């Protein structure tokens, strides 16, 4: 028994190639979208500095501030010896 192999027509091959480009375009769009979201979400982290020009520490507090638990899961930065607390910089 002889096995017959059918070749795809030119139209079928073109359709297959167009799907590949659609998938590539979708993935590229997702990558660009995620990168844009990341940059917008972390915009302040790229440019925020303290009043002395230095960047905040890993907790988001500047020099002379203490990272403090305000209760109920809230963490704040308070000046040493003061009570004028505020949320940490991102």
């Amino acid at each position: 028994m002889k096995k017959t192999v059918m070749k795809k027509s030119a139209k079928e091959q073109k359709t297959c190639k167009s799907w590949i480009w659609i998938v590539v375009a979708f993935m590229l769009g997702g990558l660009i979208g995620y990168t844009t979201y990341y940059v917008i979400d972390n915009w302040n982290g790229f440019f925020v500095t303290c009043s002395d020009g230095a960047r905040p520490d890993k907790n988001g507090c500047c020099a002379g501030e203490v990272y403090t638990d305000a209760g109920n899961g809230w963490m704040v930065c308070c000046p040493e010896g003061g009570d004028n607390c505020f949320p940490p910089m991102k």
Side-chain angles (χ1 to χ4, degrees):
M1 182 180 247
K2 194 172 188 181
K3 200 173 195 181
T4 306
V5 177
M6 296 181 66
K7 292 185 177 182
K8 291 183 179 180
S9 68
K11 186 176 182 180
E12 289 174 328
Q13 288 177 352
K14 187 176 181 183
T15 303
C16 183
K17 288 180 182 178
S18 65
W19 277 106
I20 291 171
W21 284 111
I22 290 171
V23 170
V24 168
F26 181 77
M27 292 174 65
L28 184 61
L31 179 65
I32 291 170
Y34 177 76
T35 303
T36 304
Y37 167 77
Y38 179 81
V39 168
I40 290 171
D41 192 42
N42 294 300
W43 188 258
N44 286 342
F46 296 127
F47 301 107
V48 170
T49 57
C50 299
S51 60
D52 61 358
R55 293 185 52 90
D57 64 7
K58 66 179 181 177
N59 296 321
C61 298
C62 295
E65 298 172 349
V66 180
Y67 191 60
T68 309
D69 183 5
N72 292 333
W74 288 88
M75 298 302 286
V76 294
C77 294
C78 298
E80 292 177 359
D83 60 355
N84 187 15
C85 300
F86 50 89
M89 290 187 234
K90 195 168 189 178

